Amino acid sequence: MTAYLRSHAEGEDEPLRAARARSEESDIPAVSSEIGSVLRFMARATGARTVVEIGSGGGYSGLWFLGGMDPKGILTTIEIDSGNQSLAQQAFNEAGLTSRVRSLLGPALLMLPKLADSAYDIVFIDAMKSEYPEYLEHAKRLLRPGGVLLADNVLWSGKVADPLVDDEDTQGLRTFNETVKDDPDLASILLPIDDGLMAAVMRAS
C-alpha cells in the first residue's frame, strides 16, 4: 500500500534527493516525502507567496514548499543550529532558490516576534516539540485570514495517545493538538500521514 500511495505522490527531484541524503548523513530529522508532497500541495492550493518554516533542518521541507509557492514567493526559515542552517543554505543554492529564502538563525521564540502580523500564507511548525504551544501563539498572529497552519510529528509515534507517557515533548504536543482543536479561530484536521500532520485554516474575523 505504501508503494502504491507513493506512486501517486509527487516524486523527489535531484535537489530534494541530495538534501535528504545530506540530512540522513548528518542525523538531521527530515519530513517524509509524503509529508513533503502535502506541503507542496498546500503551497500550490493557497497560491502561497509568504511562508514561515519553524525548523529548517537540512532544507528538505523548505525545498518542497518552494516548489509549490508562487514563483515570486519568499520562504522565511528559522533554525537554531548553525550547522543545519548551512546545510539548508547549500540545498537552496543547489536548487537555484537562494534569492527566495530569508534564513534566520536563532531560537524560534526569539525570532518569531520579529515577523509581521497577518503577513503569511502558511506557517509550518517542525522544531522543538515542547515549544509547539508557544509556536502556535505566534502562528495565529502571523497568519492572514484564510492562512494555513501546518505542524509535523503531532502523533509522536503514538505517544500522544498513551496516558502513561508524560515527558515534556509529548505533553507539549498534546497541549498543542488540544488547543488547536478547541480554538474557535481555527478550522482544523489532524491527518494520519506518517507521524501525523496537523492542518488548520485561520478563520476570518
Side-chain angles (χ1 to χ4, degrees):
M1 182 62 74
T2 299
Y4 181 80
L5 291 171
R6 285 180 177 170
S7 74
H8 285 73
E10 188 165 349
E12 296 177 325
D13 57 17
E14 184 51 40
L16 278 166
R17 282 191 290 272
R20 176 169 50 80
R22 281 192 297 269
S23 295
E24 290 172 353
E25 289 168 7
S26 301
D27 239 1
I28 300 171
V31 301
S32 67
S33 59
E34 289 84 358
I35 293 288
S37 295
V38 175
L39 303 184
R40 183 164 290 180
F41 174 82
M42 291 293 190
R44 284 192 178 124
T46 59
R49 299 193 66 168
T50 51
V51 174
V52 178
E53 177 185 52
I54 305 172
S56 303
Y60 185 72
S61 54
L63 288 178
W64 279 107
F65 270 122
L66 287 160
M69 292 170 65
D70 183 284
K72 295 181 180 178
I74 298 294
L75 171 71
T76 298
T77 184
I78 301 170
E79 177 57 51
I80 194 171
D81 185 282
S82 60
N84 291 3
Q85 186 191 49
S86 294
L87 286 180
Q89 289 173 336
Q90 181 180 349
F92 301 139
N93 184 58
E94 286 182 356
L97 296 168
T98 303
S99 64
R100 293 180 52 201
V101 178
R102 177 171 62 156
S103 182
L104 304 179
L105 179 64
L109 294 178
L110 294 182
M111 298 293 107
L112 288 166
K114 301 178 181 181
L115 305 183
D117 293 3
S118 303
Y120 294 90
D121 300 309
I122 296 175
V123 174
F124 176 53
I125 301 173
D126 189 16
M128 293 181 65
K129 310 311 170 189
S130 61
E131 295 183 351
Y132 269 40
E134 287 83 4
Y135 300 153
L136 175 59
E137 294 177 19
H138 288 284
K140 288 186 61 180
R141 177 182 61 81
L142 297 174
L143 285 169
R144 62 166 175 78
V148 175
L149 167 70
L150 299 168
D152 194 27
N153 303 121
V154 293
L155 293 179
W156 207 224
S157 300
K159 294 176 186 177
V160 293
D162 185 346
L164 298 179
V165 180
D166 63 353
D167 62 88
E168 191 175 7
D169 287 337
T170 304
Q171 290 283 24
L173 288 165
R174 278 199 199 108
T175 298
F176 172 84
N177 290 343
E178 293 304 309
T179 304
V180 171
K181 182 187 72 171
D182 296 336
D183 194 319
D185 296 327
L186 297 169
S188 66
I189 183 169
L190 201 166
L191 301 170
I193 304 170
D194 196 48
D195 197 26
L197 183 72
M198 179 68 79
V201 176
M202 191 72 179
R203 300 181 193 270
S205 329

